[in-house]
């Protein structure tokens, strides 16, 4: 991790704060960063001794994106032909689950480097990874590997410690695998170990541990779901899982438990401001009200939901009801891109296509992807550009011809999307992207390692 620096960002074209309403823009202010915090935001700040001055005169400044749902190991599973045209259940059965046991700690490290590099170069500064590579007789080392790679890249990182506690055949995607679930004792012992070793409870924490069974309706018996909730709260940890990603998910819950998914998790103590769910594509109005009343958050993943044909989560309606909204890229095995800029662009467009041109405004998308993400993770000092907040910010360069002619350059990353260059990225006062480059990262070596990893996965599957 690079050393913390005192930095002065001078003359940006515009500054988006991550806040809402009239405070969404700070316009053309300079930004002073001292001791990892934003010390000043004002026009014409004068450099102080020892400050590094960054000329942002052709850049727009955003808070760093907070990615609240990812599966980093999937960065070696992009565009697998067997699953490219399947829905979620067929994709699970043909792409990730047959390969879960093939992921050694070294392959996870390669995948994580690739995923974090893509995130950083798209403007993300925080990543919550829903990591479920756990099974009976397997290693718990891969969770540690993810923390190590996050340290290497200087990203804020939350390990959402996943896994299953129920028979493999209870989940449609497990039907063709031989994996057996771990036990509750093993899962809880590892969560306690991870908390002791990595977890920070501060509002600007660099490392968090989250209790995150793979899915509440498929991955464990209902009684254990409640037990995990009580364990998490006893340890002071947030909770995360998948919910209502497809209509089949809702149908399964109705048929097996005679209730809606949000009603089911409510019965088992899985609602509250310390909980957020990925997807929430298929929600009844009554469920949205329950989420809003309890402060339960959502990670909106529109690219993956589109790619798998799952549908479009009604995030504008949820937001209007008061549900905390955040954005996630999901795994790139069902996205093919781990870009938060691409995700934000899709969010801006997809709800307009479904509901009309006033359904989403760019400032709200920025808020969801920054302050909204920090809120669901409990990182109150992160996600907005204000004096006193952690210095997590991104400078997007508008030097490509596609940005020439913009009347409102502040919105370019959201309304135009990629390709766009992250010129500088700062996490807690540390430069994690410096003049367009991730310090210390050899991209050609990473390309070679990723290629080798794909070949190893192919040969392992052929030998199975």
């Amino acid at each position: 991790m690079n050393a913390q620096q005192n930095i002065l960002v001078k003359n940006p074209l515009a500054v988006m704060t991550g806040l809402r309403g009239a405070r969404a823009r700070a316009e053309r202010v300079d930004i002073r960063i001292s001791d990892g915090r934003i010390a000043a935001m004002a026009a014409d700040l004068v450099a102080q001794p020892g400050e590094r001055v960054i000329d942002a005169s052709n850049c727009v400044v955003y808070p760093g994106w907070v990615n609240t749902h990812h599966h980093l190991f999937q960065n070696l599973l992009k565009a697998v032909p067997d699953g490219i045209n399947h829905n979620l259940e067929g994709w699970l059965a043909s792409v990730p689950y047959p390969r879960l046991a093939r992921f050694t700690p070294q392959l996870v490290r390669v995948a994580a480097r690739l995923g974090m590099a893509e995130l950083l170069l798209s403007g993300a500064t925080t990543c919550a990874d829903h990591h479920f590579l756990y099974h009976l007789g397997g290693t718990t080392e891969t969770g540690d590997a993810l923390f190590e790679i996050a340290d290497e890249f200087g990203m804020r990182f939350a390990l959402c410690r996943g896994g299953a506690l129920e028979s493999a055949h209870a989940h449609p995607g497990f039907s063709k695998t031989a994996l057996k679930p771990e036990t509750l004792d093993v899962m809880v012992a590892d969560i306690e170990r991870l908390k002791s070793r990595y977890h920070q409870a501060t509002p600007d924490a660099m490392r968090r541990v989250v209790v995150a069974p793979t899915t509440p309706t498929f991955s464990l018996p209902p009684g254990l779901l409640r037990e995990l909730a009580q364990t998490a709260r006893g340890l002071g940890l947030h909770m995360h899982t998948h919910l209502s990603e497809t209509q089949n998910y809702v149908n399964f819950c109705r048929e097996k438990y005679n209730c809606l998914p949000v009603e089911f998790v409510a019965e088992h103590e899985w609602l509250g401001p310390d909980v957020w769910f990925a997807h929430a594509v298929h929600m009844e109005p009554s469920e949205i009200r329950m989420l809003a009343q309890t402060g339960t958050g959502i990670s909106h993943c529109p690219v993956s939901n589109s790619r798998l044909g799952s549908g479009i989560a009604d995030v504008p309606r949820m937001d209007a009801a008061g549900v905390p909204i955040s954005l996630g890229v999901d795994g790139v095995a069902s996205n093919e891109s781990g870009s938060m800029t691409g995700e934000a662009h899709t969010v801006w467009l997809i709800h307009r296509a479904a509901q009309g041109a006033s359904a989403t405004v760019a400032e709200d998308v920025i808020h969801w992807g920054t302050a909204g993400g920090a809120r669901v993770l409990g990182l109150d000092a992160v996600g907005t550009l204000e004096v006193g907040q952690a210095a997590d910010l991104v400078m997007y360069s508008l030097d490509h011809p596609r940005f020439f002619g913009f009347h409102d350059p502040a919105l370019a990353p959201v309304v135009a999307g990629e390709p766009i260059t992250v010129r500088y990225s700062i996490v807690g006062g540390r430069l994690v992207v410096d003049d367009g480059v991730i310090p210390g990262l050899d991209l050609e070596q990473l390309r070679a390692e990723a290629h080798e990893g794909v070949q190893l996965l192919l040969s392992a599957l052929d030998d199975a």
Side-chain angles (χ1 to χ4, degrees), residues 143-159:
D144 298 85
L146 293 174
F147 278 115
E148 292 167 11
I149 303 304
D151 280 342
E152 177 185 325
F153 280 86
M155 291 191 75
R156 294 191 198 275
F157 182 73
L159 178 69

Side-chain angles (χ1 to χ4, degrees), residues 14 64 117 235 242 257 264 291 314 339 389-391 407 450 463:
L235 293 169
H242 300 95
Y257 299 112
F264 174 79
L291 296 175
D314 195 349
S339 166
Q389 287 287 85
H407 287 227
D463 294 340

